[in-house]
Amino acid sequence: IDFDTLGTRTLGAMTVEVIDPVADYAELMQQLFDFDAMRAWFAAGHRMRFDAMSAVSGPYARAILEGMLGAPAGTVVNGEPLEDFGGHHPDPNPAHAAELMAAMSSPDAPEFGAASDGDADRNMILGRDFVVTPSDSLAVLAEHATLVPGYRAGGVGIARSMPTSRAADKVAAALGTPCHGTPTGWKFFGNLLDAGKATICGEESAGTGSNHVREKDGLWAVLLWLSILAARGESVKEIVTKHWASFGRNYYSRHDYEEVDAARANALIEELRGKLGSLPGAQLRGLTVEKADDFAYHDPVDGSVSEHQGIRVLFEGGSRVVFRLSGTGTSGATLRVYIERYEPDPAKHDIDTQQALADLIAAADDIAGIRRHTGRDRPSVIT
């Protein structure tokens, strides 16, 4: 079978149809989004930059953004899929998309910037000199999805992974829809999507998707953002800051301690589990612990229970710290610490994230003894 030629072939008693996946995907996107509104946005002189990171989304982005929506040639950069991703790591974050970050901070920056990863399922969203965190992106998309034809009827629910910030919870409460907090892993969203219990899903590691497919979809998220920009006539930063003014800001960061000795990492977690009962009411760095638990998920679809999915320490006022182990194995373990501070006061929405979280970062070490157990005085990676 010649897979480079479209059409139907016969192989014995079997019929094989070779389709164009780009055209197939574009047809689905036209059922969800108002392409005329996005065309008008580009026709009005607005610009964007999409970094396909030399990965698989390039042909899809070029066909839709430049071919169907009229974005200027060159809007999609690194659009040719390469087996070695051009020698770069195709991870859509500020560290690995440095070229895009520089372009979005330049004097001639376009209004909208975005990137997707190697298999096009995760995404990064940028405004001019402004990074939208994956948690905030999920919340903003959930808030404004009804501006888009495919979601105009309203959602049946929002789902986020438990470590993802609780910004989406505020949106769900305002919309009167459920917000499901699942363990990390898209398979848990799959059950909710199949059962019609969720419309939009997201995780703090930059995966976002909806019930149009059973997987996260980076280009879909970019098109939804573009649709919102076209509908509201505002910048990325304006949309996000207005969201914070309405719902409060969830300052959020993940601290990864990589390649920690597995025995020491497990000892930290076991010690934490042993003190869960004594933490409520404790005073730490001016914060009061409201609740502490070892998160277990009861799947509302199949009734399964997933235990030990992360230790949560919740503070009065809506802040929290979550501890999880990831990647235990011969090279050790990665301790992930998720720090979140809820700030309802708009006058305090322009603080540096790590500064805003400083008391919680210190409290996390007080609670878990991170330095004592790991021998590290700082994380390997901060995102």
Side-chain angles (χ1 to χ4, degrees):
I1 296 294
D2 176 10
F3 291 116
D4 292 326
T5 302
L6 303 181
T8 301
R9 310 284 189 279
T10 300
L11 185 63
M14 180 168 60
T15 299
V16 178
E17 182 182 2
V18 180
I19 68 168
D20 179 352
V22 174
D24 194 60
Y25 180 82
E27 182 182 344
L28 175 60
M29 293 302 103
Q30 289 180 88
Q31 296 172 24
L32 300 175
F33 300 113
D34 184 344
F35 273 40
D36 288 337
M38 290 187 281
R39 280 191 204 98
W41 190 81
F42 284 115
H46 297 291
R47 295 177 299 130
M48 74 170 288
R49 184 182 180 98
F50 180 88
D51 192 340
M53 307 194 85
S54 302
V56 73
S57 66
Y60 295 82
R62 276 189 175 146
I64 294 174
L65 296 174
E66 297 181 10
M68 302 176 73
L69 299 180
T75 293
V76 177
V77 298
N78 299 314
E80 185 70 27
L82 301 173
E83 290 183 1
D84 65 348
F85 305 112
H88 301 289
H89 187 352
D91 189 358
N93 64 45
H96 293 298
E99 180 185 317
L100 177 63
M101 292 292 295
M104 293 305 297
S105 297
S106 70
D108 190 39
E111 291 96 321
F112 181 39
S116 66
D117 69 334
D119 56 355
D121 63 358
R122 294 187 298 120
N123 67 92
M124 180 171 72
I125 302 297
L126 305 169
R128 282 179 176 157
D129 208 21
F130 187 81
V131 179
V132 184
T133 70
S135 294
D136 280 343
S137 180
L138 171 64
V140 169
L141 294 180
E143 178 189 5
H144 297 298
T146 53
L147 295 173
V148 178
Y151 304 94
R152 198 154 280 158
V156 296
I158 302 167
R160 61 165 177 83
S161 64
M162 181 274 286
T164 300
S165 99
R166 295 184 290 181
D169 300 44
K170 302 286 185 185
V171 175
L175 296 176
T177 61
C179 188
H180 304 273
T182 74
T184 298
W186 204 266
K187 66 177 183 179
F188 297 100
F189 293 151
N191 277 359
L192 296 170
L193 293 168
D194 287 350
K197 292 182 176 293
T199 302
I200 292 179
C201 307
E203 53 194 10
E204 56 80 29
S205 54
T208 326
S210 85
N211 56 357
H212 70 289
V213 291
R214 201 180 185 272
E215 190 38 287
K216 43 191 177 284
D217 183 348
L219 185 53
W220 165 88
V222 172
L223 291 172
L224 182 49
W225 259 102
L226 184 58
S227 297
I228 293 166
L229 292 171
R232 290 184 62 87
E234 297 169 321
S235 70
V236 171
K237 184 175 182 179
E238 287 171 336
I239 289 170
V240 174
T241 52
K242 285 185 178 180
H243 172 87
W244 291 339
S246 297
F247 296 97
R249 179 174 181 181
N250 291 70
Y251 283 99
Y252 182 84
S253 184
R254 188 179 89 188
H255 290 197
D256 287 357
Y257 296 81
E258 297 177 334
E259 296 186 358
V260 177
D261 177 80
R264 298 179 75 172
N266 282 310
L268 181 153
I269 294 296
E270 288 307 312
E271 184 178 292
L272 256 178
R273 287 195 178 113
K275 63 170 67 170
L276 288 176
S278 63
L279 282 174
Q283 301 284 323
L284 298 157
R285 309 282 175 162
L287 302 161
T288 302
V289 177
E290 183 176 72
K291 179 183 177 182
D293 65 12
D294 192 352
F295 178 62
Y297 178 64
H298 297 256
D299 194 302
V301 179
D302 63 20
S304 63
V305 178
S306 301
E307 298 181 320
H308 305 308
Q309 296 298 313
I311 292 175
R312 306 183 296 182
V313 181
L314 287 69
F315 298 90
E316 291 181 359
S319 298
R320 66 174 184 161
V321 177
V322 177
F323 303 86
R324 286 183 64 247
L325 286 187
S326 176
T328 53
T330 55
S331 62
T334 295
L335 172 68
R336 301 196 196 281
V337 185
Y338 308 84
I339 306 112
E340 178 179 2
R341 173 190 167 195
Y342 177 67
E343 179 52 70
D345 184 358
K348 298 178 180 178
H349 285 174
D350 200 24
I351 304 170
D352 173 77
T353 296
Q354 300 305 313
Q355 179 184 341
L357 298 172
D359 54 350
L360 284 158
I361 293 168
D365 188 53
D366 293 343
I367 293 167
I370 298 171
R371 296 187 186 196
R372 172 168 53 86
H373 281 286
T374 67
R376 313 280 181 86
D377 60 2
R378 61 178 61 87
S380 310
V381 180
I382 296 176
T383 52

